[in-house]
Amino acid sequence: MHACLECGVDPAPFHKAVSTAVIIDVLLMRWMSDPGAMSANHVLEVPDAAKGIVDDNDRTAAVKETFMPSKGLNGGHQRACRDAYLCLHMQRTLLPKLVANHLWKPLKLAEIPVVSVLSKIEHTGVPFSDNRLDEMADLVQKRLRKLQSKVDELLAPAAQGRRASIKISERLALSEKLFRSISDGGLGLPPPELKTKAAQRTLQFPTNKEALQEVRQKLRKGFDEKSVAERGRIEKHCVLLDAVSEHRSLSKLLENLQSLPQFAIKIPGLGRRLVTNFLQTSSKTGRIMTDEPNLQCLQKETHFQLSQSVVGVGGGDGTPKDHEIALRNCIEARQGWKILAIDWSQIELRIMAHFTQDKTLLDCFRGGGDFFRLLASAWKDVDPAAVNQRGRNQVKTMAYGLVYGMGNTALARKMNVEHDEAEVLRSELEARLGGYKEWKKTALASCKKYGYVETLGGRKRFFDFHNKSEDEVARNEREAINTVFQGSAADVLKATMLTLDRELVHEGLAEDCLLVLEVHDELVFEVREQVLPKAADLTSKVMREAAKMLRGVDLDVKIMVGRSWGDLQSFEGPFSAV
């Protein structure tokens, strides 16, 4: 009260709020009210978060008042008063909005309780060992030098007296060399699409992996009909693009290898741990993300030979790889403990089957075999045994394309086919999935009428289709469908984490089975070896029972155990009674 009075702020509203207190996170309320507009990968300063919610005059007055010199108060006290004042006003605006949109219940029952679970995981940390990081980094650096040499060799003929050696990391110089005309000293390659207005103004073509894949596809078009000389030229250009793409991937891997140790700290009783940040409001769909470091994106396995030649038009030379870099090996349990990882198989596709009640999808999941082989079989009307690996991979890409709202351009790039072919294949699959097609039509009509889509857990994402361009409407449609499926998967995960948190305490396993990481459809635990069977049984049982939220489809789980996250083996028991 003293601080409020010193800052000229009426303390009465705070007394009233405290007397009927419910612990809530105002920034979480802000995100819940409109996740599409308010997602952020960082924690906003309270005055910034209050923009558009608290009246501008009140917000400006609060900032000015609390930073006026006040007797007995330092800057920290003033900021605390300012932030408390703004948070109270944000809550007063947001709460009625959440209640009116039926969002208070999912916020109170799921999102707010999950905060404490994520806080516990952050406090526990992720077990970490850097024993082999230097060795792995040395191997990657050797391969990077090999790739740079190959690029220098391939660029030399086009140098024409200019500097032939261009570092692959020099993106602008490399872009100019690849896409400038031959008369201007470039290779004259067909450029990728410019997706931003800034790039369109400057004609700076990107050289990321996605863009290079697009260029590769353009080069390969009609390859067999070209002359021998032209095919040879295209082959060399594809080798060049592949070298740059591999360099991009390995550079990211090296960056992770070198940066991870700086995030490790020693926690008493737990040993050396990586401490990551779980971001609950950074995704428009509701997915929980990690940052600094982003452990969800740690590469599983990267294979290469130091002497391996770079691939060409065929996309792979079949050469055996003699080096494996598994960055997840650094997530290593303490002595006497094991890493237990349990994940749902195709959870987003199962959720799609739940919403659409598509007979083909439901039958494939109930078939008991390889889901994607069964789906390809149903799509092409052939025996499952007749489906080859290419057909399986193709239908897998398209099925997830439906979940993620992937457009035909992205789908073509992912499948390495022409745009028109991707469009035909998508239409054929959607025609086979009549339940999905009808559900999508109804869902989008409802979204355009009411302005939102709703996930399984009752969260909503709002869309505005008025006065939008054709491209903007198409993007909204894709994101709306993706939000239902991916957002519902996030709801299932959060509900499961809350149940597990309670059950581990109830079964006396809270100290011996530690949840250390969440990766969208996977939960990673560090488990004391003596209780591993019991812990595996309990955690897998809870994850299977999450299927109670779904209609007509089960949730299969895969149980993996190992010394490290990168060295997991299937765990079949024995289980103990729980």
Side-chain angles (χ1 to χ4, degrees):
M1 184 175 72
H2 171 71
C4 288
L5 294 174
E6 285 290 337
C7 290
V9 175
D10 182 7
F14 294 97
H15 289 306
K16 183 178 180 181
V18 170
S19 66
T20 57
V22 174
I23 297 176
I24 55 175
D25 184 330
V26 175
L27 295 184
L28 193 56
M29 292 176 71
R30 177 186 186 273
W31 169 78
M32 189 76 168
S33 69
D34 193 357
M38 298 183 177
S39 300
N41 285 328
H42 59 279
V43 178
L44 296 173
E45 292 288 335
V46 174
D48 292 331
K51 289 180 180 177
I53 299 174
V54 177
D55 179 82
D56 283 344
N57 292 330
D58 288 342
R59 190 173 63 85
T60 302
V63 171
K64 288 181 177 179
E65 280 186 47
T66 54
F67 275 91
M68 291 174 61
S70 302
K71 182 180 179 181
L73 288 180
N74 59 33
H77 288 143
Q78 293 175 345
R79 285 191 295 275
C81 291
R82 175 204 68 189
D83 289 353
Y85 178 82
L86 290 173
C87 282
L88 183 62
H89 279 268
M90 288 172 67
Q91 182 269 342
R92 285 176 170 174
T93 300
L94 290 169
L95 183 57
K97 183 178 179 181
L98 291 170
V99 172
N101 287 321
H102 305 287
L103 292 170
W104 172 247
K105 184 176 179 180
L107 176 69
K108 183 179 179 181
L109 297 183
E111 298 296 334
I112 291 175
V114 162
V115 173
S116 63
V117 176
L118 295 178
S119 176
K120 188 185 300 184
I121 302 174
E122 287 187 0
H123 181 74
T124 301
V126 183
F128 175 69
S129 170
D130 60 359
N131 290 339
R132 293 190 60 229
L133 288 187
D134 289 342
E135 176 189 345
M136 289 190 284
D138 182 57
L139 290 171
V140 173
Q141 287 171 326
K142 287 180 179 177
R143 179 61 179 167
L144 288 172
R145 288 194 290 270
K146 165 83 174 176
L147 293 167
Q148 181 65 63
S149 296
K150 189 65 179 178
V151 169
D152 291 344
E153 174 191 329
L154 292 167
L155 288 179
Q160 299 180 0
R162 301 177 179 87
R163 180 169 68 105
S165 178
I166 295 176
K167 288 185 179 180
I168 299 175
S169 58
E170 296 176 353
R171 294 176 182 261
L172 179 58
L174 180 63
S175 175
E176 291 176 347
K177 177 62 71 174
L178 293 178
F179 305 120
R180 273 184 177 174
S181 65
I182 295 175
S183 60
D184 287 335
L187 295 178
L189 300 187
E193 179 186 357
L194 293 172
K195 297 182 179 181
T196 66
K197 291 182 178 179
Q200 291 167 0
R201 284 195 304 270
T202 60
L203 291 181
Q204 291 183 0
F205 296 102
T207 59
N208 55 38
K209 288 182 63 178
E210 183 182 76
L212 295 179
Q213 177 64 14
E214 181 184 337
V215 176
R216 203 177 193 282
Q217 285 181 305
K218 291 180 178 180
L219 286 171
R220 290 179 66 245
K221 188 173 183 179
F223 180 78
D224 293 336
E225 287 75 40
K226 297 183 184 298
S227 67
V228 174
E230 182 68 8
R231 288 203 301 268
R233 186 180 70 85
I234 293 173
E235 177 77 37
K236 288 183 179 180
H237 289 160
C238 285
V239 170
L240 172 61
L241 296 176
D242 292 337
V244 175
S245 293
E246 185 181 351
H247 193 284
R248 295 272 187 264
S249 296
L250 291 181
S251 295
K252 181 62 177 177
L253 176 61
L254 181 63
E255 181 183 322
N256 286 335
L257 282 167
Q258 295 174 333
S259 66
L260 275 178
Q262 74 186 51
F263 297 104
I265 63 173
K266 192 167 185 178
I267 299 179
L270 294 174
R272 201 161 181 224
R273 320 287 281 193
L274 288 173
V275 180
T276 187
N277 298 298
F278 286 90
L279 306 175
Q280 198 173 345
T281 61
S282 67
S283 165
K284 296 177 181 180
T285 63
R287 269 187 165 188
I288 298 170
M289 313 297 283
T290 60
D291 189 31
E292 294 185 340
N294 184 358
L295 297 181
Q296 293 172 333
C297 288
L298 286 188
Q299 293 91 331
K300 288 184 179 180
E301 298 171 345
T302 301
H303 298 271
F304 59 84
Q305 263 187 324
L306 292 180
S307 59
Q308 175 192 356
S309 61
V310 185
V311 300
V313 171
D317 59 7
T319 307
K321 316 297 190 292
D322 61 4
H323 289 294
E324 175 184 291
I325 305 296
L327 196 51
R328 291 186 176 189
N329 278 333
C330 70
I331 307 300
E332 183 176 294
R334 291 166 284 170
Q335 195 67 33
W337 294 67
K338 293 286 187 182
I339 295 295
L340 168 66
I342 307 181
D343 70 81
W344 287 294
S345 299
Q346 303 112 14
I347 183 172
E348 289 159 337
L349 291 171
R350 292 171 189 269
I351 284 173
M352 181 166 74
H354 157 80
F355 275 102
T356 66
Q357 288 297 293
D358 181 87
K359 185 178 184 303
T360 299
L361 291 175
L362 292 172
D363 287 347
C364 289
F365 278 122
R366 293 166 182 163
D370 183 321
F371 169 78
F372 295 111
R373 198 170 295 279
L374 291 172
L375 182 57
S377 167
W379 173 33
K380 296 296 186 181
D381 196 22
V382 298
D383 188 272
V387 177
N388 59 24
Q389 190 62 35
R390 182 176 182 275
R392 181 189 182 278
N393 292 342
Q394 194 176 60
V395 80
K396 180 178 179 179
T397 301
M398 287 193 293
Y400 279 111
L402 298 181
V403 168
Y404 299 141
M406 200 178 293
N408 289 327
T409 300
L411 190 62
R413 188 162 46 242
K414 193 81 172 175
M415 296 173 65
N416 200 22
V417 299
E418 297 297 325
H419 181 279
D420 291 346
E421 183 180 354
E423 187 174 6
V424 170
L425 290 172
R426 176 201 289 277
S427 297
E428 289 178 352
L429 182 59
E430 287 195 8
R432 186 68 180 82
L433 303 178
Y436 166 83
K437 191 173 183 179
E438 186 60 32
W439 173 86
K440 178 182 175 182
K441 179 181 177 182
T442 303
L444 290 177
S446 174
C447 182
K448 291 174 182 178
K449 180 178 180 179
Y450 298 108
Y452 67 86
V453 290
E454 186 171 337
T455 67
L456 192 63
R459 289 184 300 104
K460 294 178 181 178
R461 182 175 170 190
F462 299 89
F463 292 90
D464 180 10
F465 285 89
H466 299 294
N467 299 319
K468 301 296 182 182
S469 67
E470 186 176 330
D471 288 344
E472 289 172 324
V473 169
R475 184 176 63 250
N476 279 354
E477 290 179 346
R478 292 194 299 269
E479 291 184 3
I481 297 302
N482 174 234
T483 296
V484 175
F485 299 145
Q486 195 176 90
S488 294
D491 292 342
V492 173
L493 177 79
K494 291 169 186 175
T496 302
M497 290 171 68
L498 291 172
T499 302
L500 274 171
D501 192 57
R502 292 191 300 269
E503 288 299 311
L504 288 171
V505 172
H506 182 264
E507 297 297 329
L509 290 171
E511 300 299 321
D512 298 322
C513 180
L514 308 177
L515 178 57
V516 296
L517 192 59
E518 171 276 331
V519 193
H520 310 317
D521 60 356
E522 178 182 10
L523 294 177
V524 182
F525 303 84
E526 186 185 30
V527 183
R528 197 182 295 275
E529 288 183 8
Q530 296 94 313
V531 301
L532 180 59
K534 184 178 180 181
D537 191 15
L538 173 63
T539 51
S540 61
K541 178 183 176 183
V542 170
M543 291 181 70
R544 283 192 183 95
E545 289 180 347
K548 292 177 180 178
M549 300 176 70
L550 307 181
R551 180 162 59 100
V553 62
D554 293 328
L555 285 175
D556 285 348
V557 299
K558 182 170 62 177
I559 309 170
M560 306 289 285
V561 172
R563 184 84 177 89
S564 74
W565 192 26
D567 183 29
L568 298 173
Q569 304 295 324
S570 179
F571 185 75
E572 304 295 341
F575 294 114
S576 61
V578 178

